[in-house]
Amino acid sequence: MNPSSALLQVEDLHVSYGPAEVVRGVSFAVGEGRALALIGESGSGKSTIARAVLRLLGSRRARVDGSITVRGREITGLREREFLPLRGRVLGFVPQDPGSSLNPVRSIGAQALEAAALVPGTRSRAQREALVVSALERVGLPEPQRIADSFPHQLSGGQLQRVLIALAILPGPRLLVADEPTSALDVTVQEQILDLLDELRRELGIGVLLITHDLAVAAARADEVVVLQDGSIQEAGPTDSVFTAPRSPYTRALQADVPGLNPDRFAGLRAERDERHPAAGADLQVDVRGISRTFRTREREVRALADVSFTIPRGRTHALVGESGSGKSTAARALLGLETMDAGTLDVGGVEVDPSDPRALRELRRHLQIVHQNPFTSLDPRFTVGRIVREPLDLYRVGDRAAREERAAWALEAVRLPERLRDRRPGALSGGQRQRVAIARALALQPDVLVLDEPTSALDVTVQAGILEVLATLQRDLGLTYLFISHDLGVVRQFADTLTVLRRGEVVESGSVEEVFAVPREEYTRALISSIPAREGVGASA
Amino acid sequence: MSTAVLTPGLRAGAQPRTAAGARPPATVLLSAAVILLVLAWSIAPGLFTGHDPAVGVPDDKFIAPGAQHWLGTDHLGRDLLTRIVHGSASSMTSALIAVAIGVAVGGALGLVGGYLGGWVDAVIGRVVDVLLAIPGFLLAVVVVTALGYDTRNAAIATGVSAVAVFARLMRSEVLRVRTSVFIEAARISGGSSTYVLLRHVLPNALRPVLSLAVLQFGIAILVIAGLAFLGYGDPPPASDWGLLVSDGREHLLHAPWLVLAPGLVIAVVVLSVSRLSRHLDQGRNR
Amino acid sequence: ALDGARADGGPASPEDDLELSFLISNLDGGWVPSQSAISSYEANVWQQLTDKLVHTDAEGTVSPWIATHWEQNEDATEYVLHLRGGVTFSDGTPLDAAAVLANLEAWAVGRPEEGLARVGLFPGGTYEGAEALDPLTVRVTFTAPTLSFLPTLGYHGCQLMAPSSLALSLEEQADLAHQIGSGPFVLESWEPRQRVRLVRREDYDWAPEVLGATGPARLSAITFTVLPDDTLRASAARAGQTDLAYNVNPQVLDSFTEAGFTIEVPRYLGFVHGYSLRTQVAPFDDVRVRQAVTRGIDRAEILRTVFTDAWEPATSWLQAGVPETTDLTELFAYDPELATQLLDEAGWTERTAEGFRAKDGVELGFTIYPTPYLTGSVPEAELISQHLGRLGIRVRTQKLDIPTYTERVTNDPTQGVQEVTRSFVDVGTVAGVITDEGEDWFQTGSSDAELVRLRDEVAGAASREERAGVVEELSRHVLEQAYFIPLEQNVQRIYVQSPQLSGITFNAVAIPSYHAATKEEA
Amino acid sequence: MSAAATETTAGSSPAGTSAAARTARRYGSFALRRTGQALVVIALAYVLVFLVLAAIPGDPISAQLDNPQNGYSEEEKAQIRAFHGLDRPVLVQLLVSLGNALRGELGTSMSTSQPVAAMIGEAIPSTLALAVTALALAILLAAVLGLLSRLLPEGPLNSLVRSLPAAFLSTPNFLIGLVLIQVLAVNLGLFSLVEPESARSTLVAALTLAIPVSAQIAQVFITALDESSGQDYAEVALSRGLPPVQVVLRHLLRPSLLPTVTVVGLVLGEVLGGSLITETIFGRAGVGTVVQKAVSSQDVPVLLAAVVLSATVFVMVNLVIDLLYPLLDPRLRVGKESR
Ligand SMILES: Nc1ncnc2c1ncn2[C@@H]1O[C@H](COP(=O)(O)OP(=O)(O)OP(=O)(O)O)[C@@H](O)[C@H]1O
Ligand SMILES: Nc1ncnc2c1ncn2[C@@H]1O[C@H](COP(=O)(O)OP(=O)(O)OP(=O)(O)O)[C@@H](O)[C@H]1O
Ligand SMILES: [Mg+2]
Ligand SMILES: [Mg+2]
């Protein structure tokens, strides 16, 4: 590509927040009608680059060095007043979180008219209204007038993201900077939005700088890819070559950690487990029969669970899968006796769970522990790691003090947390480390059953791979029984033996992982499976 | 729902803290110095001045601030700085009493209401609403009337008028903490209600309450000074700061330092206290 | 309510348009004459609205006013007053013998059953009756010699009201608009507790000669505005926003003098400023303690520190202006050694941890509640507390406002110290306060035979000369017993006046008259 | 309520009508519930203050009766006490007093024998003028500070603006008042101390009161503005090419209004309480002065009425603010009509 014809040309860009340099010497170019994907783990500097291009770093005390040219014009040295006309009219921006990117107290129409007013040559209100309506129609919103009259909270995430795209393309920009435009949206909606961006790019010849953490999105939607780590480029080039023949070790490692690309990652561990703890003749550790629960609030009634049943034999992993709000956590909480059921029974280790009997629950929880989804709120910020892990032992008065210390040390070692972290508080740990602490706490009592409620969905792929490995190893060594909750079928395929697919509280499908993946019976399951990133072609390296 | 590959959603919070241990800003250090000085005044006033706070040299009345008397003298020839220094103990203790009452009573109400919920919370909530509805200063005046005029009672009155604020904050903090996942985790780890309340809920809810307490300390100084100004504090020759302003006020025309000096001391101390409180509060959010 | 409408109707000529603004601390006393005429505050208004039969000046000299001359019988039991002709109240009714009789009745007897008290200082006890000899002559008779009668007629309680006003009920009298006098000013408008505006009465022509002016007043109007705060009144005066500010802190006066203001501190007849002690209350049940207290106070330092040069030391327990007063300073002069000796003798020899004297484990001390009626009484009490502290007596001070003061001090027989700021026009008054046949200031009841004897002699004296000797004897006894601790000549009223004002006179009880006052335009 | 709402929306689609009616009905019941709560709070405030005041030893009537100079017999004293209801148990007194208050009878002052309603009624205009002016000034001041904090570029000037509220809040308002009097009235002669109710004097007194109050509003306003400026929509609006000033005015202001209005309701208490000192300093004859006198004469009926009046004003204003929330923030309009 000829750099001079590039829409956006970034050359040796450095950005630092105070003393910390977070972008180091990044260069790339986006041409007319082309899409360039910027990928990298969290904190690698993707959003910072986007903000530097749009000059939105103003209020953040950031220092920007290097050159950014838009249609051949250098913009880093421009005064604010000179840059203003470029915003919106040349450089459009599609933000990550549609829910928070529109002013909640003003109607869509008011904000759209404001955007229309910035388009040169639109004098009359009627003209602006026409512009707004046509832009809303262009992004596929069927009732533009109703949309315009609504407030943001009255629209769905997908609708809002469409509105935001409409507002971005309304002044006719040449380049769209889209910072993770779909990661806050549901799988099905994601595809539609990405299709829309593709369409706009082709039809209007707009260049797109697509920022994403999703390798599949990058692979499917971008012409070129730039892989960032820690603010510097690890690899860059046409999408095909980066994905089929990654040159840098980082990119290769990244690929290896993506569950969808490596379905058999834990196959070895699981085989060993099957040897040590044969499935045949294993008793049922968890037996859930026909549980139902309906939540009633003043506003509405939600059926969280409707006649759900599943069983887990000792030493095996059962996955609960489904979209957000499908009732997965409610089932998990029911198992722990944290939620009363309207109907049905739950047995753990052959004993029925009775939420109304505190002493029985206490006894139950010696053998049944949970690891929560969010490692940032599940640890008391005022306790040290050592104390967090020891707490259940103290409370259950397991052995003497020395024995408890020993047991805690064992648990920390089992999750491979270095000894030196024992005196830290959660605030001083990374997300992955915190989640390990949470698992260690659950392990400390040496329970038989662990409920894992999306234990890795808040974490990076690399970190996720590490945690899953720890869990698989523990299962192999101790014969633990897992109830594994996830919305990521890629992970489920790697990690679970059997699964139940939930939708609005109802069981859609259940069976062994192999069966369900091979022949999904329901459309819903098929949609979920198809959302696992690019298997065809790209994943061959696994 | 997304196929999370690289972390979505998590922001800067995911990064381990790096700025920990950085030195606090200069204004905070200065504020701390001011407060330390005033504390030193309260504990050992004799170290800071050689004059007698109650008995002056009547012939030296109304000497303007200068080398001999840094802040001048009052209508009975007493050194004003000495009186301010000696008045600080009473001003500080009374503010402390006020805050202690606010924290203890308000904190307990908020803790119990927030944790137990239900009708207990409803009853406590109404009481707090009522306390909140009566303008604080007015409430303090009413209470001090009922108790009798002196500085201790003014302090108690000020404390009573602060109960509602503490109760509200404590309640909302308890509600926030109570719904945290780690509270549920503690229950699952086998903790009883009381254990969870005292070991997890209270310590985590306390921090903002303490930073409010520091702020309220400054406000209490102002309220007590206001009460003293209106004559609801100790009688002369006590030298509570508010009383000094109130006394000096008669001489505003010809000896303005008698008003300005104690008034500014109050302002500077309260400003320092509130700066410190803000700093503590930021520490929590960082 | 008449605000803005001029009472005289005609347009005033420019040089005629002099208004006086007067800032006062309160006008809460109401407008029932028997209740507020002797008040330090309302009296300033009454004096301009009403006249009196005689004028009594600061030396106690009685001169004609509405009564042009008078006769008195040998034993001072019968008086004949001759009235000036042509005097009218502002509603047009004549001020004649009949009106005077009605007033005498109100002063001497009142209508207590209707809540209308008599005038306290008027010698009602010996009053027998009065009759009109002709329309302009009145004879007043007493059951016993009553020397105080004539001077008391110049007292601010004895103001002449129209008979129609006197006849009103208590509630009706509370409305100032119903109070009709014959003075040089008449009411234009008033707002309760906040403001009173008076305008000149154009046909006024009966001012007392001693004021040195005849005809109507020079000022066209006077506005009294209530501003309760001492400092505010002082500031307003300093800012030139008022012609006159009443009662400011004495310690600020020097700065006003320097700025060219006139400061009037009229002394009046009465008791000096001081403390009367209740002898039933410990530690004042011991004469040595009382004497030690009076000897332990350094009055010179108080005068230097709290007051200005306009204040003078007390020479007795009576103001120096009272004709019968003699200099008895040696009986209470500052003498700390003597005081120490007295306290030692009285057995107050133990010491508390704080260094105060004690006896049988009881600390020697008392509380002073500085009177809210007198500015300067708080620092004065503080100084006294220092003086007596040096002797080992703990003196606490507690400042109270007027209502609390009344409740906690005046009405509470267990308070040992009563601050006195009382005026009178005739020395006969003292007979009424010293024993239980009166206010019993010292709580001696009738136990002090000497006091009882002196009281009877003062009350029964028929000639001023004879009485003067008894008064000296009484004063000596009171001071020797240290029943009363004199502090300084009482200045209860302080007037800060703009330099433009002149021609203001004060009567025996230091109430100003603005009839002759005038003001240069600045 | 719902019927009226249905009528006003007649003409729109049937679905819309029923949704609007439902919203109106929900709002109606919300308003009713909040009003009920407010009334309960006022009644409880009455009870609370009554009980606190009942703890005061002595009262002006007994003080007068017990004065030995009056020489009343015990019988007479008892009669007079009974007349004032002082002989009954506190709870009975409370019920009687509460009943009277409900009927709008506030009783008579124990020290001046005037009807309490009249005493307070006379004082209200002065306090009202002071409080309203002070609140208006405070809001104005806070608005200026808040907008400056956003519009001024980062630097010493901006830091100064941001530190002003803390300084305002720390300065005792009697100090501010005294200095203003000395400088504006005595030195510059800008207003007359003799006419404390004049417009100028009221303005200065209001300023005294407004300074600390504005600080609290400003602090919340600045924080709210900062918070909304950190929101994605602010950045997105900026990226759309809206000039920064416009972003502040169009996007940051409205969302910041909610917490700001809330704090305005809360600081009303400071305004009412602070008027006590301000009125004293400026010699105004307002409710604050009445309270002061009532306090010193332990005039319970007056004190009770004044305190409950303040509480009522406070509760009512906050009620109105609560009811206004849905107008300021569409998210709080109950019920989601479309999705
Ligand atoms: N305002 C700021 N001040 C200081 N540091 C910042 C600021 N904003 C971001 N950072 C830091 O800069 C680095 C890059 O952040 P950036 O938001 O660009 O990452 P990202 O790749 O977009 O991550 P994510 O996938 O989590 O959105 C991170 O370490 C982050 O903590
Ligand atoms: N305590 C509750 N009260 C009312 N509704 C509830 C309650 N708990 C859960 N729900 C509702 O029940 C439904 C199922 O919730 P649940 O948390 O089990 O979903 P989930 O599958 O875990 O979703 P996610 O993937 O978002 O965690 C949701 O619609 C939720 O809003
Ligand atoms: Mg980002
Ligand atoms: Mg969940």
Side-chain angles (χ1 to χ4, degrees), chain D residues 107-155:
Chain D
T108 51
S109 155
M110 283 189 173
S111 64
T112 68
S113 300
Q114 255 190 305
V116 172
M119 278 176 78
I120 291 183
E122 280 168 22
I124 283 180
S126 165
T127 300
L128 197 66
L130 177 68
V132 168
T133 319
L135 208 55
L137 276 179
I139 292 172
L140 191 73
L141 211 58
V144 169
L145 286 179
L147 290 180
L148 282 181
S149 81
R150 268 284 118 209
L151 296 178
L152 285 177
E154 275 188 34

Coordinates of all heavy atoms in Angstrom, one line a residue, chain D residues 107-155:
Chain D
G107 N -50.8 27.7 70.0 CA -50.8 28.1 71.4 C -50.2 29.5 71.6 O -50.1 30.2 70.6
T108 N -50.0 29.9 72.8 CA -49.5 31.2 73.1 C -48.1 31.1 73.7 O -47.8 30.2 74.4 CB -50.4 32.0 74.0 OG1 -50.7 31.2 75.2 CG2 -51.7 32.3 73.4
S109 N -47.4 32.2 73.5 CA -46.0 32.3 74.1 C -46.1 32.3 75.6 O -47.0 33.0 76.1 CB -45.3 33.5 73.5 OG -44.3 33.9 74.4
M110 N -45.2 31.6 76.2 CA -45.2 31.6 77.7 C -44.6 32.9 78.2 O -44.8 33.3 79.4 CB -44.4 30.4 78.2 CG -45.2 29.1 78.1 SD -44.3 27.9 79.0 CE -45.4 26.5 79.0
S111 N -43.8 33.6 77.4 CA -43.1 34.7 78.0 C -43.8 36.0 77.6 O -43.8 37.0 78.3 CB -41.7 34.8 77.6 OG -41.5 34.9 76.2
T112 N -44.4 36.1 76.4 CA -45.0 37.4 75.9 C -46.5 37.3 75.9 O -47.2 38.3 75.7 CB -44.5 37.8 74.6 OG1 -45.1 36.9 73.6 CG2 -43.0 37.8 74.4
S113 N -47.1 36.1 76.1 CA -48.5 35.8 76.0 C -49.1 36.2 74.7 O -50.3 36.2 74.5 CB -49.2 36.6 77.1 OG -48.8 36.2 78.4
Q114 N -48.3 36.4 73.7 CA -48.8 36.6 72.3 C -49.1 35.3 71.7 O -48.5 34.3 72.1 CB -47.7 37.3 71.5 CG -47.9 38.7 71.2 CD -46.9 39.2 70.2 OE1 -45.7 39.0 70.3 NE2 -47.4 39.7 69.1
P115 N -50.0 35.2 70.8 CA -50.2 34.0 70.0 C -48.9 33.6 69.3 O -48.3 34.5 68.7 CB -51.3 34.3 69.0 CG -51.9 35.5 69.5 CD -50.9 36.3 70.3
V116 N -48.5 32.3 69.4 CA -47.3 31.9 68.8 C -47.3 32.1 67.3 O -46.4 32.6 66.6 CB -47.0 30.4 69.1 CG1 -45.9 29.9 68.3 CG2 -46.8 30.2 70.6
A117 N -48.5 31.8 66.7 CA -48.6 31.9 65.3 C -48.3 33.4 64.8 O -47.7 33.6 63.8 CB -50.0 31.5 64.8
A118 N -48.8 34.3 65.6 CA -48.6 35.7 65.2 C -47.1 36.1 65.4 O -46.6 36.7 64.5 CB -49.4 36.6 66.1
M119 N -46.5 35.6 66.5 CA -45.1 35.9 66.7 C -44.2 35.4 65.5 O -43.4 36.1 65.0 CB -44.6 35.3 68.0 CG -44.9 36.1 69.2 SD -44.4 35.2 70.7 CE -42.6 35.6 70.6
I120 N -44.5 34.2 65.2 CA -43.7 33.6 64.1 C -44.1 34.2 62.7 O -43.3 34.5 61.9 CB -43.8 32.1 64.1 CG1 -43.1 31.6 65.4 CG2 -43.2 31.4 62.9 CD1 -43.1 30.1 65.6
G121 N -45.4 34.4 62.6 CA -45.9 34.9 61.3 C -45.2 36.3 61.0 O -44.8 36.5 59.9
E122 N -45.1 37.1 62.1 CA -44.5 38.4 61.9 C -43.0 38.3 61.4 O -42.5 39.1 60.7 CB -44.5 39.2 63.2 CG -45.8 39.9 63.4 CD -45.9 40.5 64.9 OE1 -44.8 40.7 65.5 OE2 -47.0 40.6 65.4
A123 N -42.4 37.2 61.9 CA -41.0 37.1 61.7 C -40.7 36.4 60.3 O -39.6 36.5 59.8 CB -40.3 36.2 62.8
I124 N -41.7 35.7 59.8 CA -41.4 34.9 58.6 C -40.9 35.7 57.4 O -40.0 35.3 56.7 CB -42.6 34.0 58.2 CG1 -42.7 32.8 59.2 CG2 -42.6 33.5 56.8 CD1 -43.8 31.9 59.0
P125 N -41.6 36.8 57.1 CA -41.2 37.5 55.9 C -39.7 37.9 55.8 O -39.0 37.7 54.8 CB -42.0 38.8 55.9 CG -43.2 38.5 56.7 CD -42.7 37.5 57.7
S126 N -39.2 38.3 57.0 CA -37.8 38.6 57.1 C -36.9 37.4 56.8 O -36.0 37.5 56.0 CB -37.4 39.2 58.4 OG -36.1 39.2 58.7
T127 N -37.2 36.3 57.4 CA -36.4 35.1 57.3 C -36.6 34.6 55.8 O -35.6 34.1 55.2 CB -36.8 34.0 58.3 OG1 -36.6 34.6 59.6 CG2 -36.0 32.8 58.1
L128 N -37.8 34.7 55.3 CA -38.0 34.2 54.0 C -37.2 34.9 53.0 O -36.5 34.4 52.1 CB -39.5 34.3 53.6 CG -40.0 33.5 52.5 CD1 -39.9 32.0 52.8 CD2 -41.4 33.9 52.1
A129 N -37.2 36.3 53.1 CA -36.4 37.1 52.2 C -34.9 36.7 52.3 O -34.2 36.5 51.3 CB -36.6 38.6 52.5
L130 N -34.5 36.5 53.5 CA -33.1 36.2 53.7 C -32.8 34.8 53.1 O -31.8 34.6 52.4 CB -32.8 36.1 55.2 CG -31.3 35.7 55.6 CD1 -30.4 36.8 55.2 CD2 -31.2 35.5 57.1
A131 N -33.6 33.8 53.5 CA -33.3 32.4 53.0 C -33.4 32.3 51.5 O -32.5 31.7 50.9 CB -34.3 31.5 53.7
V132 N -34.4 32.9 50.9 CA -34.6 32.8 49.5 C -33.4 33.5 48.8 O -32.8 32.9 47.9 CB -35.9 33.4 49.0 CG1 -36.0 33.5 47.5 CG2 -37.0 32.5 49.5
T133 N -33.1 34.7 49.2 CA -31.9 35.4 48.6 C -30.7 34.6 48.8 O -29.9 34.4 47.8 CB -31.7 36.7 49.2 OG1 -33.0 37.3 49.4 CG2 -30.9 37.6 48.3
A134 N -30.5 34.0 50.0 CA -29.2 33.3 50.2 C -29.1 32.1 49.4 O -28.1 31.8 48.8 CB -29.2 32.9 51.7
L135 N -30.3 31.4 49.3 CA -30.2 30.2 48.5 C -30.0 30.5 47.0 O -29.2 29.8 46.3 CB -31.6 29.4 48.6 CG -31.5 27.9 48.4 CD1 -30.5 27.3 49.4 CD2 -32.9 27.3 48.7
A136 N -30.6 31.6 46.5 CA -30.4 32.0 45.1 C -28.9 32.3 44.9 O -28.3 31.9 43.9 CB -31.3 33.1 44.8
L137 N -28.4 33.1 45.8 CA -27.0 33.5 45.7 C -26.1 32.3 45.7 O -25.1 32.2 45.0 CB -26.6 34.4 46.9 CG -26.9 35.9 46.7 CD1 -26.5 36.6 48.0 CD2 -26.2 36.5 45.5
A138 N -26.4 31.4 46.6 CA -25.6 30.2 46.8 C -25.6 29.4 45.5 O -24.5 28.9 45.0 CB -26.1 29.3 48.0
I139 N -26.8 29.2 44.9 CA -26.9 28.5 43.7 C -26.1 29.2 42.6 O -25.3 28.5 41.8 CB -28.4 28.3 43.3 CG1 -29.0 27.4 44.3 CG2 -28.5 27.7 41.9 CD1 -30.5 27.2 44.2
L140 N -26.2 30.5 42.5 CA -25.5 31.2 41.5 C -24.0 31.1 41.6 O -23.3 30.7 40.7 CB -25.9 32.7 41.6 CG -25.5 33.6 40.5 CD1 -26.4 33.4 39.3 CD2 -25.6 35.1 40.9
L141 N -23.6 31.2 42.9 CA -22.2 31.1 43.1 C -21.6 29.7 42.8 O -20.6 29.6 42.2 CB -21.9 31.4 44.6 CG -20.6 32.0 45.1 CD1 -20.5 33.4 44.4 CD2 -20.7 32.3 46.6
A142 N -22.4 28.7 43.2 CA -22.0 27.3 42.9 C -22.0 27.1 41.4 O -21.1 26.4 40.9 CB -23.0 26.4 43.7
A143 N -23.0 27.6 40.7 CA -23.0 27.4 39.3 C -21.8 28.0 38.6 O -21.2 27.4 37.8 CB -24.3 28.0 38.7
V144 N -21.5 29.2 39.0 CA -20.3 29.9 38.4 C -19.0 29.0 38.7 O -18.3 28.8 37.8 CB -20.2 31.3 39.0 CG1 -18.8 31.9 38.6 CG2 -21.3 32.2 38.5
L145 N -18.9 28.7 40.0 CA -17.7 27.9 40.4 C -17.6 26.6 39.6 O -16.6 26.2 39.1 CB -17.7 27.6 41.9 CG -17.3 28.8 42.8 CD1 -17.4 28.3 44.2 CD2 -15.9 29.3 42.5
G146 N -18.8 25.9 39.5 CA -18.8 24.6 38.8 C -18.5 24.8 37.4 O -17.6 24.0 36.8
L147 N -19.1 25.7 36.7 CA -18.8 25.9 35.3 C -17.4 26.3 35.0 O -16.7 25.8 34.1 CB -19.8 26.9 34.7 CG -21.2 26.4 34.6 CD1 -22.1 27.5 34.0 CD2 -21.3 25.1 33.8
L148 N -16.9 27.2 35.9 CA -15.5 27.6 35.7 C -14.5 26.4 35.9 O -13.5 26.3 35.2 CB -15.1 28.7 36.8 CG -15.6 30.1 36.4 CD1 -15.1 31.0 37.5 CD2 -15.0 30.5 35.1
S149 N -14.9 25.5 36.8 CA -14.0 24.4 37.1 C -13.9 23.5 35.9 O -12.9 22.8 35.6 CB -14.5 23.5 38.3 OG -15.5 22.7 37.8
R150 N -14.9 23.5 35.0 CA -14.9 22.7 33.8 C -14.3 23.5 32.6 O -13.7 22.9 31.8 CB -16.3 22.3 33.5 CG -16.8 21.0 34.0 CD -16.2 19.8 33.3 NE -15.3 19.0 34.1 CZ -14.3 18.3 33.7 NH1 -13.9 18.3 32.5 NH2 -13.6 17.6 34.6
L151 N -14.6 24.8 32.6 CA -14.3 25.5 31.4 C -12.8 26.1 31.4 O -12.2 26.2 30.4 CB -15.3 26.6 31.2 CG -16.7 26.1 30.9 CD1 -17.7 27.3 30.7 CD2 -16.7 25.3 29.6
L152 N -12.4 26.4 32.6 CA -11.0 26.9 32.7 C -10.0 25.8 32.4 O -10.2 24.6 32.8 CB -10.7 27.4 34.1 CG -11.3 28.8 34.5 CD1 -11.0 29.1 35.9 CD2 -10.9 29.9 33.6
P153 N -9.0 26.0 31.6 CA -8.0 25.0 31.4 C -7.3 24.6 32.7 O -7.2 25.5 33.6 CB -7.0 25.7 30.4 CG -7.2 27.1 30.6 CD -8.7 27.3 31.0
E154 N -6.8 23.4 32.7 CA -6.1 23.0 33.9 C -4.9 24.0 34.2 O -4.3 24.4 33.3 CB -5.5 21.6 33.7 CG -6.5 20.5 34.1 CD -5.9 19.2 34.1 OE1 -4.7 19.0 34.4 OE2 -6.6 18.2 33.7
G155 N -4.8 24.3 35.4 CA -3.7 25.3 35.8 C -4.0 25.9 37.1 O -5.0 25.5 37.8

